[in-house]
Amino acid sequence: MTGRHVRDLGEVDESLVAVVGGKGAQLGALSRIEGVRVPAGFCVTTDAFRRIVAAAPSFDDQLDRLARLDPDDREAIAALSARIRRTVEGVGVPDDVAAAITAASGRLGEGAACAVRSSATAEDLPTASFAGQQDSYLNIVGPKAILRHVSRCWASLFTERAVIYRQRMGIDHRAVWMAVVVQRMVRPDAAGVLFTADPVTGNRRVAKVDAVLGLGEALVSGQTNPDVLTVRDGVVVDRTIAVKERAVRALPAGGTGEVAVEAGRQRRPALTDEQAVELVRLGRRIEARFGRPQDIEWCLADDGFRIVQSRPITTLFPVPEADDEENRVYVSVGHGQMMTDPMRPLGLSVWRLTAMVPMHEAGGRLFVDVTERLASPTGRAALLEVMGRGDPLVRDALETVVDREDFVLQVPDEEPGGPPAGAAPAPIETDPAIVAELIERGAASVAALERDIGTKSGPALFDFLLAAFDEHRRVLTDPLSLRVIMAGMEATWWLNDRLWEWLGEKNAADTLTLSAPDNVTSEMGLALLDVADVIRPRPEVVAFLRSVVEEGFPDEDFRSGDFRDGAFLDALARIPGGAEARDAVAGYLDRYGMRCAGEIDITRPRWCERPTTLVPAILDNVRNFAPGAAERRFAEGRRKAERKEAEVLARLRALPDGDRKADETKRMIDRVRTFIGYREYPKYGIVSRYLVYKRALLAEADRLVGAGVLAGREDVFSLTFQEFHEVVRSQRADEGLIRRREEAFRSYHALTPPRVLTSDGEALSGAYRRDDAPAGALLGLPVSGGTVEGRARVVLDLARADLAAGDILVTTFTDPSWSPLFLGIAGLVTEVGGLMTHGAVIAREYGLPAVLSVAGATRLIRDGQRIRVHGTDGYVELL
């Protein structure tokens, strides 16, 4: 039964989403799976809907107004969407469309009750389920009633919830069309939902069955609690049986209604264990057909299960691909690098090519496989020790996996068979000249790269870059550099451990390392204060910068502009007093312009490419600081460190064996102040090289655009390095691949990457096993001592920061690009971070109380709320 306006379910599959919508296409595909029974039915195609809206008065004008509304303006959206629904329902169904629907309904059986269900073209998709956003109707009897409810389904494309969902997902209202599925009604004994993976933990080996008596409408609407059965490896391993006092059933005259459940049935399971296992087997078949875990709606009638819907579970974090079926444990790279946002394919591949260990990609993020290290006692102990010092939540998550015993097979340590593979590194002297030498070496390496890459283009550029990546890794593994970093960290740990043991002083190294020399990241923040000093006495320049923030530059939102041509700096120079301001900003960009938020992703716009990103921070500095603040702050930090040193040494000398303890402590203070600042330099070197790589790659992209191979230069961001190389070699690009990659990247933003992920798909976030904080406090990792109370400012975008002196910054994570904001705040709270990650290092450098790894901080703390940060003890109080 094929026609322009009606298609039989057996005739359609996923290739016809544009014709029958997501639900219709999915049901058609389900009906073709052996052993899966789908109620008979047909689809009213999107062509019929197009005819309706074409006849709807002022429909286009209403859509234009709808697109301009703010997604948060619920009242305006409710009013306009209701008006659009009335407009659509007011259009009569054309006679030929009505005849086709009536004829198709008759073929389902004379007087047959039907389910009439919406099926939008953006529905049940891999990246957006649209579950419950449009309307469906059960037990509709008679041709006239079916036509009336088809019209209601068309109108439900503009329910308030559907409109807001599309706007939040960035889906154009005009890009979505509505089909309608009409199916023979099933009158089930039980119904419910099957998740072929655990929707909470993500474990793909676990299936969850929710079951109620009667129609599943009672479950979907929340009218009744379901039985919940957990099935693993073909066995029900857990069950919760609800008391079933009410059920929803089809009424004889049409529609549905609540009925009482007879007393003898109320405490009995809706499904037997055998039925639940059978249902999960069906679910596994469906999952295999669609290639990903499914959220399946089912009914159980006298003669078996019917499947009435299947959609992908869009909230699960993907699992890295592996060459075998072995159990694996992965640790997030982004949590260690303070960048948990998704990365584009070029960014992922360049980071992997320049990284020191193999990495695996999933959901636009990178992970390291630590299974082998967890398998041996020595490797496990070392890994847990390192992870625990950096991020206790990662350690806890790993210990959760290890404690299961059956997931990671334990192997004994290898018997020693001679001297160790690598002798212990020679001790390093506490000598500032070593740090100076390393900084000089790094600068020379970047200069050589800039010099040599200039003559390379075409395929030869990519060959050159592969060699440059080898040099990149060599610089990162310079033995002297690693020894300096470890010396600084070990001295920090020594001071914190010993001064706690001897003096009861927590995190003493925080104060002792204030204003340590050679910290390029803290210097970067202070240097922006100097830029503000140049701008502050020039009111026309200040006014111009404010206009950039408020109005955008030029004629567009400055946050999305790309000013490679220097337009912003040129415009700044034309303002009275602007030449000096331009020179100050340009000088800052010469030194730090390679940095940006999420800088480990080479595709992210650097400050030198988008200098307006810095404008809010510059204006904050102009407003919140007096001239000369950079020098004063650095000097004050040094004085605090000197006073702390004198106090600690005096207290130690008063102890038994005090001279020895004081002398050892003095040596470690000198050592930590000599070496701790250098820890920020390797990352500075990485992003300096990244800017050189990026400029060369974008020049190649521009050549491809000029040759008509690519539509835009940033299309290359959706290619891996190797694919980019092949496009340059062949002068051919797969436009479809690029668009699919862009869509996938957008979808990855909705996923929250776990700290630890298993090959079963289980996402583990870890927990704090402690009870030393007040009730209701948010627990985290203490990384910089002190206590501060103030106004919380929840900032998710560096370019939108609006901070006043004394504010406490609350955000997801900070990398070095956030350092300029640290100067004006009183404390720091982040969701991601460890003891030696950027936020912790700079918070200690600036003397800011800070608590990191606070789960859900940006959700649980309201912007503007007063909070108290306990940086020494690691918790946040909501006041």
Side-chain angles (χ1 to χ4, degrees):
M1 178 188 63
T2 300
R4 180 182 171 193
H5 299 121
V6 169
R7 294 281 190 100
D8 189 87
L9 274 181
E11 300 173 346
V12 302
D13 59 20
E14 307 100 308
S15 66
L16 292 176
V17 169
V19 177
V20 298
K23 184 181 287 131
Q26 197 85 345
L27 286 168
L30 282 166
S31 69
R32 299 173 181 218
I33 303 173
E34 185 178 353
V36 174
R37 300 166 70 184
V38 175
F42 62 90
C43 301
V44 183
T45 68
T46 53
D47 278 340
F49 178 71
R50 284 184 167 89
R51 287 183 62 182
I52 294 297
V53 298
S58 67
F59 181 76
D60 286 337
D61 291 341
Q62 290 175 330
L63 277 195
D64 287 339
R65 291 202 299 277
L66 189 64
R68 291 194 292 269
L69 293 179
D70 187 324
D72 294 323
D73 190 347
R74 301 291 294 264
E75 187 175 340
I77 288 175
L80 184 52
S81 60
R83 194 175 311 135
I84 295 173
R85 289 197 302 277
R86 288 194 296 272
T87 298
V88 172
E89 287 191 57
V91 177
V93 180
D95 290 345
D96 58 332
V97 175
I101 294 172
T102 300
S105 303
R107 286 188 285 271
L108 294 179
E110 188 175 346
C114 293
V116 182
R117 313 171 69 194
S118 62
S119 179
T121 53
E123 182 175 317
D124 295 351
L125 303 178
T127 56
S129 73
F130 279 82
Q133 303 306 314
Q134 286 90 215
D135 292 340
S136 293
Y137 304 91
L138 300 180
N139 202 35
I140 307 303
V141 181
K144 289 184 178 178
I146 288 173
L147 286 173
R148 186 165 63 251
H149 286 86
V150 166
S151 185
R152 289 181 181 175
C153 283
W154 285 332
S156 76
L157 187 62
F158 299 100
T159 62
E160 179 185 347
R161 60 186 182 275
V163 167
I164 292 173
Y165 189 88
R166 284 196 296 273
Q167 288 183 311
R168 294 199 187 284
M169 295 292 289
I171 296 173
D172 185 351
H173 300 302
R174 295 179 184 279
V176 184
W177 300 92
M178 181 66 86
V180 181
V181 175
V182 180
Q183 290 177 278
R184 186 183 296 128
M185 185 70 188
V186 177
R187 299 176 186 271
D189 300 317
V193 176
L194 161 66
F195 297 97
T196 64
D198 189 317
V200 177
T201 69
N203 195 319
R204 271 50 164 193
R205 291 178 63 185
V206 172
K208 292 278 188 178
V209 178
D210 289 2
V212 297
L213 295 178
L215 291 166
E217 184 182 355
L219 171 61
V220 174
S221 65
Q223 292 171 257
T224 186
N225 291 325
D227 295 347
V228 180
L229 293 90
T230 303
V231 180
R232 182 184 176 107
D233 299 331
V235 178
V236 175
V237 295
D238 190 35
R239 64 181 65 75
T240 301
I241 306 303
V243 178
K244 307 165 188 65
E245 296 179 347
R246 312 287 294 174
V248 175
R249 296 197 182 273
L251 301 177
T256 62
E258 264 196 41
V259 299
V261 175
E262 56 272 23
R265 187 74 200 277
Q266 290 182 5
R267 297 180 183 276
R268 284 165 46 196
L271 293 181
T272 65
D273 284 6
E274 292 76 13
Q275 288 170 327
V277 169
E278 178 190 349
L279 176 62
V280 170
R281 281 199 204 100
L282 280 177
R284 294 292 181 217
R285 224 177 271 176
I286 294 168
E287 179 183 71
R289 165 64 178 78
F290 294 118
R292 58 188 299 164
Q294 297 288 300
D295 165 358
I296 298 167
E297 295 180 21
W298 56 269
C299 298
L300 177 65
D302 293 334
D303 55 349
F305 287 103
R306 303 288 195 283
I307 304 301
V308 295
Q309 190 160 345
S310 184
R311 61 173 73 89
I313 306 175
T314 58
T315 56
L316 297 179
F317 200 86
V319 180
E321 292 183 5
D323 297 330
D324 54 42
E325 299 296 319
E326 297 296 321
N327 289 346
R328 300 197 176 277
V329 182
Y330 303 97
V331 170
S332 165
V333 172
H335 284 80
Q337 291 293 333
M338 302 295 285
M339 214 294 274
T340 53
D341 289 346
M343 297 167 65
R344 288 181 169 85
L346 185 62
L348 290 165
S349 61
V350 170
W351 187 259
R352 292 172 77 173
L353 286 166
T354 54
M356 302 315 306
V357 296
M359 293 182 180
H360 307 264
E361 186 270 332
R365 280 80 167 187
L366 291 171
F367 295 84
V368 174
D369 184 348
V370 297
T371 315
E372 288 189 12
R373 296 186 66 185
L374 287 175
S376 73
T378 301
R380 181 167 61 254
L383 179 66
L384 294 177
E385 171 68 17
V386 170
M387 293 297 178
R389 283 193 180 273
D391 185 344
L393 294 179
V394 173
R395 175 173 183 148
D396 183 79
L398 290 173
E399 287 176 333
T400 300
V401 177
V402 171
D403 288 347
R404 292 175 184 160
E405 296 185 351
D406 62 338
F407 193 81
V408 177
L409 294 178
Q410 305 298 301
V411 297
D413 289 326
E414 292 183 10
E415 292 291 330
I428 187 170
E429 293 183 21
T430 303
D431 183 358
I434 296 173
V435 174
E437 178 191 344
L438 286 169
I439 292 171
E440 187 177 336
R441 277 192 210 171
S445 176
V446 173
L449 173 67
E450 288 182 310
R451 180 188 67 239
D452 296 341
I453 205 171
T455 59
K456 305 298 188 294
S457 63
L461 170 65
F462 292 83
D463 295 336
F464 173 85
L465 283 172
L466 289 173
F469 296 162
D470 289 338
E471 168 65 8
H472 184 121
R473 289 191 298 273
R474 187 200 65 74
V475 171
L476 285 181
T477 55
D478 181 332
L480 183 61
S481 176
L482 296 177
R483 284 160 61 197
V484 166
I485 293 170
M486 285 309 301
M489 293 170 64
E490 287 167 353
T492 301
W493 298 334
W494 189 98
L495 286 166
N496 283 337
D497 292 346
R498 293 298 186 278
L499 296 181
W500 169 248
E501 175 189 347
W502 293 338
L503 300 177
E505 179 114 19
K506 281 187 178 180
N507 302 327
D510 294 356
T511 306
L512 293 168
T513 53
L514 290 174
S515 297
D518 300 316
N519 186 320
V520 67
T521 306
S522 62
E523 290 169 359
M524 178 175 70
L526 294 171
L528 203 63
L529 285 175
D530 293 334
V531 173
D533 285 352
V534 175
I535 290 169
R536 190 178 294 105
R538 295 172 167 81
E540 294 91 347
V541 173
V542 173
F544 169 73
L545 295 182
R546 285 180 180 148
S547 73
V548 167
V549 172
E550 293 165 3
E551 302 167 17
F553 173 86
D555 301 324
E556 62 177 321
D557 186 326
F558 76 91
R559 295 175 192 90
S560 62
D562 187 355
F563 308 119
R564 297 184 306 278
D565 58 358
F568 168 72
L569 293 178
D570 289 346
L572 180 60
R574 291 193 292 271
I575 304 297
E580 296 85 350
R582 187 270 316 273
D583 291 346
V585 173
Y588 185 85
L589 293 173
D590 286 343
R591 173 85 167 129
Y592 304 111
M594 76 292 290
R595 312 222 78 145
C596 67
E599 61 192 13
I600 69 171
D601 182 353
I602 198 172
T603 70
R604 291 285 191 105
R606 311 284 135 175
W607 287 344
C608 59
E609 296 170 317
R610 198 170 292 176
T612 45
T613 304
L614 292 169
V615 171
I618 292 172
L619 288 173
D620 283 346
N621 288 348
V622 167
R623 181 174 65 246
N624 296 331
F625 295 94
E631 185 176 348
R632 284 196 307 276
R633 283 181 67 101
F634 190 80
E636 176 58 23
R638 190 168 54 227
R639 283 193 297 272
K640 285 182 179 178
E642 290 167 351
R643 288 196 298 268
K644 187 67 174 179
E645 177 181 334
E647 175 216 320
V648 163
L649 295 179
R651 291 171 62 194
L652 286 172
R653 292 193 192 283
L655 298 176
D657 198 20
D659 287 344
R660 177 188 63 80
K661 291 174 180 174
D663 290 346
E664 288 182 9
T665 300
K666 172 59 176 168
R667 282 196 297 273
M668 283 300 175
I669 292 172
D670 290 345
R671 193 166 179 80
V672 78
R673 289 192 64 80
T674 297
F675 292 137
I676 199 64
Y678 174 75
R679 190 181 185 283
E680 292 290 298
Y681 254 96
K683 185 74 168 287
Y684 178 78
I686 290 171
V687 295
S688 296
R689 297 179 72 89
Y690 264 31
L691 179 60
V692 180
Y693 303 153
K694 183 179 185 181
R695 283 173 168 163
L697 290 169
L698 283 179
E700 202 60 44
D702 288 338
R703 283 188 277 273
L704 291 171
V705 172
V709 177
L710 294 176
R713 66 184 337 225
E714 293 191 359
D715 283 356
V716 299
F717 294 167
S718 295
L719 302 173
T720 66
F721 180 85
Q722 296 84 351
E723 290 165 346
F724 189 179
H725 187 180
E726 177 58 25
V727 169
V728 169
R729 189 196 63 77
S730 66
Q731 294 292 294
R732 288 195 302 272
D734 184 341
E735 181 70 18
L737 173 67
I738 291 170
R739 299 288 87 82
R740 290 193 299 276
R741 293 268 180 80
E742 288 174 348
E743 182 180 336
F745 175 71
R746 285 193 294 271
S747 74
Y748 292 152
H749 282 86
L751 300 174
T752 300
R755 284 175 164 81
V756 173
L757 182 66
T758 73
S759 50
D760 284 349
E762 185 174 7
L764 298 104
S765 298
Y768 291 107
R769 316 288 178 179
R770 39 185 278 216
D771 57 4
D772 58 347
L778 307 181
L779 300 181
L781 178 66
V783 300
S784 183
T787 300
V788 66
E789 181 178 316
R791 179 180 67 160
R793 296 312 307 265
V794 180
V795 179
L796 302 180
D797 180 351
L798 178 65
R800 296 177 185 271
D802 181 15
L803 299 164
D807 283 347
I808 296 170
L809 174 62
V810 180
T811 188
T812 311
F813 58 81
T814 64
D815 59 14
S817 69
W818 289 71
S819 296
L821 296 189
F822 283 30
L823 291 160
I825 61 176
L828 174 68
V829 179
T830 70
E831 294 179 344
V832 175
L835 194 61
M836 298 306 292
T837 51
H838 162 263
V841 172
I842 303 305
R844 290 193 292 270
E845 170 69 20
Y846 290 161
L848 301 175
V851 181
L852 275 51
S853 283
V854 178
T858 60
R859 176 174 49 85
L860 298 171
I861 299 172
R862 300 190 312 275
D863 186 46
Q865 181 177 16
R866 289 196 69 77
I867 63 175
R868 185 180 297 126
V869 177
H870 295 262
T872 304
D873 295 313
Y875 62 89
V876 180
E877 289 183 277
L878 309 181
L879 304 179

